[in-house]
Amino acid sequence: MKRRFFSTALAATAMTAMASLPACAQTSERPYVPSTPSSRIGSLMQISVVDRGTGAELPIYRHRGEYWVAGRPGARYAIRARNAMGERIMAVMSVDGVNVVTGETAGVLQNGYVFSARERSDITGWRKSDSQIAAFEFAAAGNSYASRTGRPDDVGVIGVAMFRERMPEPLPPPVTPFPRRDDSGGYGGYGSERERRSESSSYQGDARAKAGAADSAAPAAAAESSGSLARQSAPSPSLGTAHGRRETSYVGKTTFERAQSSPDEVIRIRYDSRENLVAAGVIQVPPAPRWPRPAGPSPFPGSDPGYVPDPPSRY
């Protein structure tokens, strides 16, 4: 199945944030050791979320088998993708359950971006044309593009489904010409070493072709079972992605044939405000410092602290 897909725009300069938390108060008995979040995930492609205001990649927190990032309401962001392979990879991207290129309710077999080998690019918004996007912007869930278009059920998630490209089939071996018939009614050279080698080579080629077909079918079945997008029930997040202001972003078109119909890898990143992620335990914060107890009421309120004053002078 051949379809036309969008190729990515020029890559932006990479800006990596330090994935660490600020220093905090500790006790000698049980020192607080914060977990260090990562900023990129993925094997075929490394995916991160970038705060476009600061240029920093947002920390990605892992909590109960899911990945999370904390967004700031009103902040513009980008999905940064780096192709880690020496071949072209197609990435079908969704935000809040909506395809970022076509605006359809997202499905893995829809159009996406094609990344060249080792290419890096920032996807900064909803694709409006070959030259414009509407910026991704964190907003209240009710103001998200998905909610405003009647699709609020999957607000609060970023998805990337990755596909490898089908390689062209190798050319078949040259056909050996049929031997000429001799005068005795037989075929010249029949049963010779040359004929036996040709027959053996043909047999081995068929065996290798069948073995290759079996090998390619096994990973496809495994990927189909492991790459299924099972929906998990979760409370509605407080943040979504708005249809922001128009910006210039150029892309070209190319053709891409998937090696298989199921994704080779799927990345899922959920997001919400930092306050909500702290309250849910996704982001762990240091314990509050132990302040000294207040002094309380004074048993001698009429006495000034200090030592015995000098007596008054004599006349």
Side-chain angles (χ1 to χ4, degrees):
M1 173 181 67
K2 290 188 177 180
R3 300 175 62 183
R4 297 182 65 83
F5 298 96
F6 290 89
S7 62
T8 56
L10 294 178
T13 302
M15 301 180 66
T16 304
M18 294 298 292
S20 61
L21 295 178
C24 55
Q26 298 181 356
T27 62
S28 58
E29 295 82 2
R30 296 185 59 185
Y32 175 76
V33 181
S35 59
T36 303
S38 61
S39 60
R40 307 169 187 171
I41 57 174
S43 298
L44 295 181
M45 302 182 72
Q46 293 183 329
I47 306 298
S48 58
V49 181
V50 180
D51 186 325
R52 295 179 64 193
T54 64
E57 293 181 342
L58 299 179
I60 300 177
Y61 302 90
R62 184 175 176 85
H63 181 69
R64 295 182 179 178
E66 293 191 295
Y67 295 102
W68 293 83
V69 296
R72 295 184 298 109
R76 290 178 302 152
Y77 73 90
I79 304 171
R80 179 167 291 172
R82 298 170 175 83
N83 184 357
M85 307 299 292
E87 60 184 281
R88 295 204 309 171
I89 298 293
M90 191 184 73
V92 180
M93 297 186 177
S94 70
V95 171
D96 297 345
V98 179
N99 186 302
V100 303
V101 174
T102 66
E104 302 170 275
T105 299
V108 296
L109 297 182
Q110 295 169 353
N111 284 8
Y113 289 102
V114 175
F115 291 76
S116 300
R118 311 297 178 185
E119 183 181 1
R120 179 191 61 206
S121 183
D122 285 358
I123 307 303
T124 55
W126 310 98
R127 176 59 51 186
K128 305 300 294 184
S129 68
D130 290 353
S131 60
Q132 277 197 331
I133 55 95
F136 292 144
E137 183 177 304
F138 290 122
N143 292 330
S144 66
Y145 176 73
S147 295
R148 293 176 62 186
T149 54
R151 296 169 287 183
D153 293 341
D154 297 294
V155 171
V157 63
I158 297 168
V160 182
M162 288 162 267
F163 293 85
R164 305 181 84 156
E165 188 172 16
R166 182 181 297 278
M167 295 293 102
E169 297 291 338
L171 295 176
V175 179
T176 304
F178 198 73
R180 294 181 57 188
R181 187 183 182 95
D182 56 22
D183 296 335
S184 61
Y187 292 95
Y190 182 78
S192 66
E193 182 66 22
R194 177 180 176 184
E195 185 68 15
R196 288 196 297 271
R197 282 201 304 268
S198 175
E199 183 179 356
S200 175
S201 175
S202 176
Y203 174 78
Q204 292 175 1
D206 293 342
R208 283 196 298 269
K210 293 178 180 178
D215 292 342
S216 62
E224 185 175 358
S225 61
S226 62
S228 59
L229 299 175
R231 295 178 54 185
Q232 301 180 10
S233 58
S236 298
S238 61
L239 281 188
T241 298
H243 186 274
R245 69 185 185 189
R246 296 290 186 97
E247 298 178 1
T248 300
S249 174
Y250 291 97
V251 293
K253 292 185 174 69
T254 185
T255 58
F256 187 96
E257 186 176 1
R258 310 168 202 244
Q260 58 187 28
S261 59
S262 57
D264 292 281
E265 185 178 5
V266 175
I267 296 295
R268 178 188 180 198
I269 302 175
R270 299 182 64 183
Y271 65 89
D272 205 342
S273 66
R274 178 177 177 83
E275 294 76 12
N276 285 352
L277 296 188
V278 170
V282 175
I283 300 178
Q284 299 181 3
V285 296
R290 295 183 177 181
W291 301 106
R293 292 175 61 88
S298 174
F300 302 100
S303 299
D304 293 331
Y307 299 99
V308 178
D310 293 337
S313 61
R314 294 182 179 181
Y315 296 101

PDB file of all heavy atoms in Angstrom, residues 116-132:
ATOM      1  N   SER A 116      14.251  11.492   7.734  1.00  0.00           N
ATOM      2  CA  SER A 116      15.399  10.857   7.101  1.00  0.00           C
ATOM      3  C   SER A 116      16.303  10.246   8.161  1.00  0.00           C
ATOM      4  O   SER A 116      16.126  10.474   9.365  1.00  0.00           O
ATOM      5  CB  SER A 116      16.181  11.892   6.275  1.00  0.00           C
ATOM      6  OG  SER A 116      15.361  12.451   5.268  1.00  0.00           O
ATOM      7  N   ALA A 117      17.282   9.471   7.727  1.00  0.00           N
ATOM      8  CA  ALA A 117      18.203   8.835   8.660  1.00  0.00           C
ATOM      9  C   ALA A 117      18.895   9.884   9.527  1.00  0.00           C
ATOM     10  O   ALA A 117      19.410  10.880   9.023  1.00  0.00           O
ATOM     11  CB  ALA A 117      19.246   8.022   7.890  1.00  0.00           C
ATOM     12  N   ARG A 118      18.833   9.700  10.859  1.00  0.00           N
ATOM     13  CA  ARG A 118      19.474  10.561  11.862  1.00  0.00           C
ATOM     14  C   ARG A 118      18.893  11.967  11.901  1.00  0.00           C
ATOM     15  O   ARG A 118      19.458  12.856  12.540  1.00  0.00           O
ATOM     16  CB  ARG A 118      20.984  10.652  11.637  1.00  0.00           C
ATOM     17  CG  ARG A 118      21.676   9.311  11.447  1.00  0.00           C
ATOM     18  CD  ARG A 118      21.583   8.434  12.653  1.00  0.00           C
ATOM     19  NE  ARG A 118      22.221   7.129  12.440  1.00  0.00           N
ATOM     20  CZ  ARG A 118      22.182   6.149  13.319  1.00  0.00           C
ATOM     21  NH1 ARG A 118      21.556   6.299  14.471  1.00  0.00           N
ATOM     22  NH2 ARG A 118      22.783   4.992  13.061  1.00  0.00           N
ATOM     23  N   GLU A 119      17.779  12.215  11.261  1.00  0.00           N
ATOM     24  CA  GLU A 119      17.213  13.563  11.233  1.00  0.00           C
ATOM     25  C   GLU A 119      16.581  13.915  12.573  1.00  0.00           C
ATOM     26  O   GLU A 119      16.047  13.070  13.284  1.00  0.00           O
ATOM     27  CB  GLU A 119      16.167  13.682  10.119  1.00  0.00           C
ATOM     28  CG  GLU A 119      15.584  15.088   9.992  1.00  0.00           C
ATOM     29  CD  GLU A 119      14.533  15.193   8.905  1.00  0.00           C
ATOM     30  OE1 GLU A 119      14.242  14.159   8.271  1.00  0.00           O
ATOM     31  OE2 GLU A 119      14.007  16.293   8.691  1.00  0.00           O
ATOM     32  N   ARG A 120      16.629  15.207  12.902  1.00  0.00           N
ATOM     33  CA  ARG A 120      16.002  15.723  14.115  1.00  0.00           C
ATOM     34  C   ARG A 120      15.131  16.914  13.737  1.00  0.00           C
ATOM     35  O   ARG A 120      15.519  17.744  12.922  1.00  0.00           O
ATOM     36  CB  ARG A 120      17.077  16.171  15.112  1.00  0.00           C
ATOM     37  CG  ARG A 120      16.540  16.744  16.414  1.00  0.00           C
ATOM     38  CD  ARG A 120      17.662  17.409  17.195  1.00  0.00           C
ATOM     39  NE  ARG A 120      18.235  18.502  16.444  1.00  0.00           N
ATOM     40  CZ  ARG A 120      19.483  18.928  16.603  1.00  0.00           C
ATOM     41  NH1 ARG A 120      20.295  18.316  17.432  1.00  0.00           N
ATOM     42  NH2 ARG A 120      19.938  19.951  15.895  1.00  0.00           N
ATOM     43  N   SER A 121      13.946  17.002  14.347  1.00  0.00           N
ATOM     44  CA  SER A 121      13.042  18.096  14.016  1.00  0.00           C
ATOM     45  C   SER A 121      12.079  18.342  15.165  1.00  0.00           C
ATOM     46  O   SER A 121      11.774  17.429  15.944  1.00  0.00           O
ATOM     47  CB  SER A 121      12.267  17.781  12.730  1.00  0.00           C
ATOM     48  OG  SER A 121      11.448  18.873  12.363  1.00  0.00           O
ATOM     49  N   ASP A 122      11.611  19.585  15.272  1.00  0.00           N
ATOM     50  CA  ASP A 122      10.603  19.964  16.261  1.00  0.00           C
ATOM     51  C   ASP A 122       9.255  20.119  15.556  1.00  0.00           C
ATOM     52  O   ASP A 122       9.139  20.896  14.598  1.00  0.00           O
ATOM     53  CB  ASP A 122      10.961  21.280  16.944  1.00  0.00           C
ATOM     54  CG  ASP A 122      12.087  21.132  17.949  1.00  0.00           C
ATOM     55  OD1 ASP A 122      12.561  19.996  18.135  1.00  0.00           O
ATOM     56  OD2 ASP A 122      12.492  22.148  18.540  1.00  0.00           O
ATOM     57  N   ILE A 123       8.250  19.389  16.018  1.00  0.00           N
ATOM     58  CA  ILE A 123       6.885  19.531  15.508  1.00  0.00           C
ATOM     59  C   ILE A 123       6.185  20.504  16.448  1.00  0.00           C
ATOM     60  O   ILE A 123       5.922  20.183  17.609  1.00  0.00           O
ATOM     61  CB  ILE A 123       6.162  18.169  15.453  1.00  0.00           C
ATOM     62  CG1 ILE A 123       7.015  17.154  14.681  1.00  0.00           C
ATOM     63  CG2 ILE A 123       4.790  18.323  14.813  1.00  0.00           C
ATOM     64  CD1 ILE A 123       7.378  17.565  13.279  1.00  0.00           C
ATOM     65  N   THR A 124       5.885  21.687  15.957  1.00  0.00           N
ATOM     66  CA  THR A 124       5.484  22.796  16.835  1.00  0.00           C
ATOM     67  C   THR A 124       3.989  23.084  16.854  1.00  0.00           C
ATOM     68  O   THR A 124       3.557  23.951  17.624  1.00  0.00           O
ATOM     69  CB  THR A 124       6.224  24.079  16.419  1.00  0.00           C
ATOM     70  OG1 THR A 124       5.974  24.341  15.035  1.00  0.00           O
ATOM     71  CG2 THR A 124       7.725  23.928  16.640  1.00  0.00           C
ATOM     72  N   GLY A 125       3.188  22.390  16.021  1.00  0.00           N
ATOM     73  CA  GLY A 125       1.767  22.717  16.044  1.00  0.00           C
ATOM     74  C   GLY A 125       0.939  21.865  15.104  1.00  0.00           C
ATOM     75  O   GLY A 125       1.433  20.952  14.437  1.00  0.00           O
ATOM     76  N   TRP A 126      -0.351  22.210  15.070  1.00  0.00           N
ATOM     77  CA  TRP A 126      -1.301  21.547  14.177  1.00  0.00           C
ATOM     78  C   TRP A 126      -1.022  21.999  12.748  1.00  0.00           C
ATOM     79  O   TRP A 126      -0.954  23.193  12.475  1.00  0.00           O
ATOM     80  CB  TRP A 126      -2.734  21.907  14.569  1.00  0.00           C
ATOM     81  CG  TRP A 126      -3.056  21.741  16.023  1.00  0.00           C
ATOM     82  CD1 TRP A 126      -3.066  22.701  16.983  1.00  0.00           C
ATOM     83  CD2 TRP A 126      -3.450  20.529  16.676  1.00  0.00           C
ATOM     84  NE1 TRP A 126      -3.425  22.171  18.204  1.00  0.00           N
ATOM     85  CE2 TRP A 126      -3.668  20.835  18.047  1.00  0.00           C
ATOM     86  CE3 TRP A 126      -3.638  19.217  16.245  1.00  0.00           C
ATOM     87  CZ2 TRP A 126      -4.064  19.881  18.978  1.00  0.00           C
ATOM     88  CZ3 TRP A 126      -4.036  18.260  17.170  1.00  0.00           C
ATOM     89  CH2 TRP A 126      -4.249  18.599  18.512  1.00  0.00           C
ATOM     90  N   ARG A 127      -0.869  21.050  11.835  1.00  0.00           N
ATOM     91  CA  ARG A 127      -0.531  21.369  10.452  1.00  0.00           C
ATOM     92  C   ARG A 127      -1.745  21.963   9.750  1.00  0.00           C
ATOM     93  O   ARG A 127      -2.794  21.341   9.626  1.00  0.00           O
ATOM     94  CB  ARG A 127      -0.052  20.109   9.736  1.00  0.00           C
ATOM     95  CG  ARG A 127       0.263  20.232   8.268  1.00  0.00           C
ATOM     96  CD  ARG A 127       1.309  21.227   7.929  1.00  0.00           C
ATOM     97  NE  ARG A 127       2.542  21.092   8.689  1.00  0.00           N
ATOM     98  CZ  ARG A 127       3.539  21.966   8.606  1.00  0.00           C
ATOM     99  NH1 ARG A 127       3.426  23.027   7.815  1.00  0.00           N
ATOM    100  NH2 ARG A 127       4.637  21.773   9.329  1.00  0.00           N
ATOM    101  N   LYS A 128      -1.603  23.224   9.266  1.00  0.00           N
ATOM    102  CA  LYS A 128      -2.688  23.913   8.567  1.00  0.00           C
ATOM    103  C   LYS A 128      -2.511  23.889   7.050  1.00  0.00           C
ATOM    104  O   LYS A 128      -3.489  23.926   6.303  1.00  0.00           O
ATOM    105  CB  LYS A 128      -2.777  25.372   9.046  1.00  0.00           C
ATOM    106  CG  LYS A 128      -2.927  25.521  10.559  1.00  0.00           C
ATOM    107  CD  LYS A 128      -4.179  24.855  11.072  1.00  0.00           C
ATOM    108  CE  LYS A 128      -5.442  25.505  10.569  1.00  0.00           C
ATOM    109  NZ  LYS A 128      -6.666  24.892  11.153  1.00  0.00           N
ATOM    110  N   SER A 129      -1.254  23.851   6.589  1.00  0.00           N
ATOM    111  CA  SER A 129      -0.943  23.811   5.160  1.00  0.00           C
ATOM    112  C   SER A 129       0.518  23.406   5.030  1.00  0.00           C
ATOM    113  O   SER A 129       1.176  23.081   6.023  1.00  0.00           O
ATOM    114  CB  SER A 129      -1.191  25.180   4.506  1.00  0.00           C
ATOM    115  OG  SER A 129      -0.255  26.133   4.991  1.00  0.00           O
ATOM    116  N   ASP A 130       1.034  23.431   3.796  1.00  0.00           N
ATOM    117  CA  ASP A 130       2.447  23.111   3.596  1.00  0.00           C
ATOM    118  C   ASP A 130       3.364  24.173   4.182  1.00  0.00           C
ATOM    119  O   ASP A 130       4.578  23.968   4.269  1.00  0.00           O
ATOM    120  CB  ASP A 130       2.753  22.966   2.102  1.00  0.00           C
ATOM    121  CG  ASP A 130       2.131  21.708   1.513  1.00  0.00           C
ATOM    122  OD1 ASP A 130       1.583  20.898   2.284  1.00  0.00           O
ATOM    123  OD2 ASP A 130       2.190  21.539   0.276  1.00  0.00           O
ATOM    124  N   SER A 131       2.819  25.317   4.583  1.00  0.00           N
ATOM    125  CA  SER A 131       3.665  26.413   5.052  1.00  0.00           C
ATOM    126  C   SER A 131       3.233  26.998   6.388  1.00  0.00           C
ATOM    127  O   SER A 131       3.881  27.914   6.888  1.00  0.00           O
ATOM    128  CB  SER A 131       3.694  27.543   4.011  1.00  0.00           C
ATOM    129  OG  SER A 131       2.384  28.038   3.784  1.00  0.00           O
ATOM    130  N   GLN A 132       2.169  26.485   7.013  1.00  0.00           N
ATOM    131  CA  GLN A 132       1.691  27.065   8.264  1.00  0.00           C
ATOM    132  C   GLN A 132       1.244  25.998   9.247  1.00  0.00           C
ATOM    133  O   GLN A 132       0.779  24.915   8.860  1.00  0.00           O
ATOM    134  CB  GLN A 132       0.515  28.025   8.009  1.00  0.00           C
ATOM    135  CG  GLN A 132       0.938  29.424   7.594  1.00  0.00           C
ATOM    136  CD  GLN A 132      -0.205  30.415   7.749  1.00  0.00           C
ATOM    137  OE1 GLN A 132      -1.388  30.067   7.641  1.00  0.00           O
ATOM    138  NE2 GLN A 132       0.124  31.669   8.005  1.00  0.00           N
TER     139      GLN A 132
END
